[in-house]
Amino acid sequence: QRFSANASKSKQATSRAKQLEKLQFVDLPASSRKYPFVQFDIKREAGKDILKIEKLSKEIDGVKFLDNIDLVVNKNDKIAFISDSDLAITTLFQILAKEIEPDKGTFTWGVTTSMSYFPSDNTKYFSDGTLDLVNWLRQYSEDQYESFLRGFLGKMLFSGDEALKKANVLSGGEKVRCMLAKMMLSGANILVLDGPTSHLDLESISAVNEGLTRYKGNLLFASHDHEFIQTIANRIVVLNKGKIVFDKETTYDEYLETL
């Protein structure tokens, strides 16, 4: 029911529904579906100052994606960014992750903050065909022991020989699970996630949903999954034509009622 209205997942949800209809409950088999274990723990709690954005602007190829953006992120905010342009949100997140420079304006992270970023395009992280997943994850781990790394990969459904897959041959969903594992190892108290449910199956989306709901740090995220936004966000920021047109502590459903 949850995923039937999701354009990218409706076919998968419909298929599951048909399977359920055919089940004989007197002989119900054990589920073969696997859920990854998603748990984001913070190493250090952030102070009161999280993020301040002032007069931020950015134009790319003649298109102004950000136009004099002002925003203050408060402690415990879990902000869902909604926009008429996915590229506008991606541009903002790339600036905050210091991957690109703004044309003008400033942003300041609090001195006690640590940030981990989930980009919409993760291609550059998986270009090295010499690395298997154990050694790929080792790059981001304080604990370098193979037993720890394999155990962590197992939580993300890479067990046994799966952990020896080369990083450059992974599917889209496998890459997303690896990026989530990288973020889980970071211990960051701020997560910036640009479409974290893309390419994931229903079970993995549910696991990420639950993990972010439990997360004790700050979240800045974008998603097209209604339930995902509704159950995680406590503040909605709407960015249209490069400007913030709505910013309020509210649920997604309450925001939709204002339209």
Side-chain angles (χ1 to χ4, degrees):
Q1 287 177 338
R2 167 179 173 179
F3 290 104
S4 62
N6 184 316
S8 64
K9 301 296 175 185
S10 60
K11 186 178 292 185
Q12 205 178 148
T14 301
S15 174
R16 299 285 172 81
K18 288 179 179 177
Q19 290 175 23
L20 286 171
E21 288 173 2
K22 295 176 182 178
L23 286 176
Q24 298 295 320
F25 287 93
V26 292
D27 188 26
L28 186 65
S31 173
S32 62
R33 306 307 304 176
K34 294 182 179 180
Y35 291 77
F37 177 76
V38 179
Q39 179 72 35
F40 299 98
D41 295 317
I42 60 177
K43 292 179 181 176
R44 177 188 183 187
E45 186 175 347
K48 184 177 69 172
D49 297 327
I50 303 299
L51 173 65
K52 186 174 185 179
I53 299 172
E54 296 181 283
K55 308 300 180 188
L56 206 67
S57 295
K58 182 65 176 181
E59 183 176 306
I60 300 175
D61 296 331
V63 179
K64 181 161 277 191
F65 288 112
L66 304 175
D67 187 5
N68 266 4
I69 297 296
D70 289 312
L71 184 71
V72 175
V73 177
N74 305 306
K75 189 173 174 62
N76 299 321
D77 277 348
K78 291 186 174 182
I79 304 176
F81 286 81
I82 314 296
S83 180
D84 57 353
S85 166
D86 289 345
L87 285 174
I89 299 174
T90 294
T91 300
L92 175 61
F93 286 177
Q94 286 179 325
I95 290 172
L96 296 179
K98 300 181 180 178
E99 291 197 346
I100 60 175
E101 294 286 334
D103 294 333
K104 68 174 185 177
T106 62
F107 65 95
T108 307
W109 290 105
V111 294
T112 59
T113 61
S114 56
M115 188 268 285
S116 187
Y117 174 49
F118 181 100
S120 59
D121 181 1
N122 57 37
T123 306
K124 69 178 182 180
Y125 292 92
F126 300 97
S127 59
D128 190 345
T130 66
L131 293 178
D132 58 36
L133 292 190
V134 172
N135 286 302
W136 183 88
L137 193 62
R138 185 176 271 123
Q139 301 174 98
Y140 309 107
S141 176
E142 292 180 1
D143 190 328
Q144 296 285 292
Y145 286 102
E146 183 163 340
S147 58
F148 171 80
L149 296 167
R150 276 184 169 274
F152 209 88
L153 286 166
K155 294 177 183 178
M156 301 305 288
L157 308 184
F158 297 106
S159 57
D161 290 343
E162 289 284 304
L164 298 178
K165 277 188 174 181
K166 297 299 184 182
N168 65 339
V169 300
L170 301 179
S171 69
E174 288 171 332
K175 288 178 181 177
V176 170
R177 282 188 272 128
C178 284
M179 291 299 293
L180 291 170
K182 171 182 175 292
M183 297 182 80
M184 287 159 62
L185 283 171
S186 73
N189 52 33
I190 297 172
L191 301 181
V192 178
L193 304 112
D194 194 356
T197 60
S198 298
H199 306 293
L200 292 180
D201 60 18
L202 311 189
E203 290 75 19
S204 295
I205 292 174
S206 295
V208 175
N209 197 154
E210 292 170 9
L212 292 177
T213 301
R214 292 190 302 266
Y215 180 58
K216 302 299 183 185
N218 277 82
L219 283 178
L220 284 68
F221 72 98
S223 174
H224 291 290
D225 186 319
H226 182 120
E227 183 76 6
F228 195 83
I229 301 172
Q230 171 62 20
T231 53
I232 295 172
N234 58 20
R235 179 176 170 187
I236 304 294
V237 171
V238 181
L239 187 63
N240 284 340
K241 294 181 172 57
K243 296 181 180 292
I244 292 178
V245 298
F246 183 93
D247 179 5
K248 186 177 180 181
E249 289 186 18
T250 185
T251 67
Y252 188 47
D253 283 344
E254 288 169 343
Y255 157 69
L256 291 176
E257 289 174 3
T258 69
L259 299 181

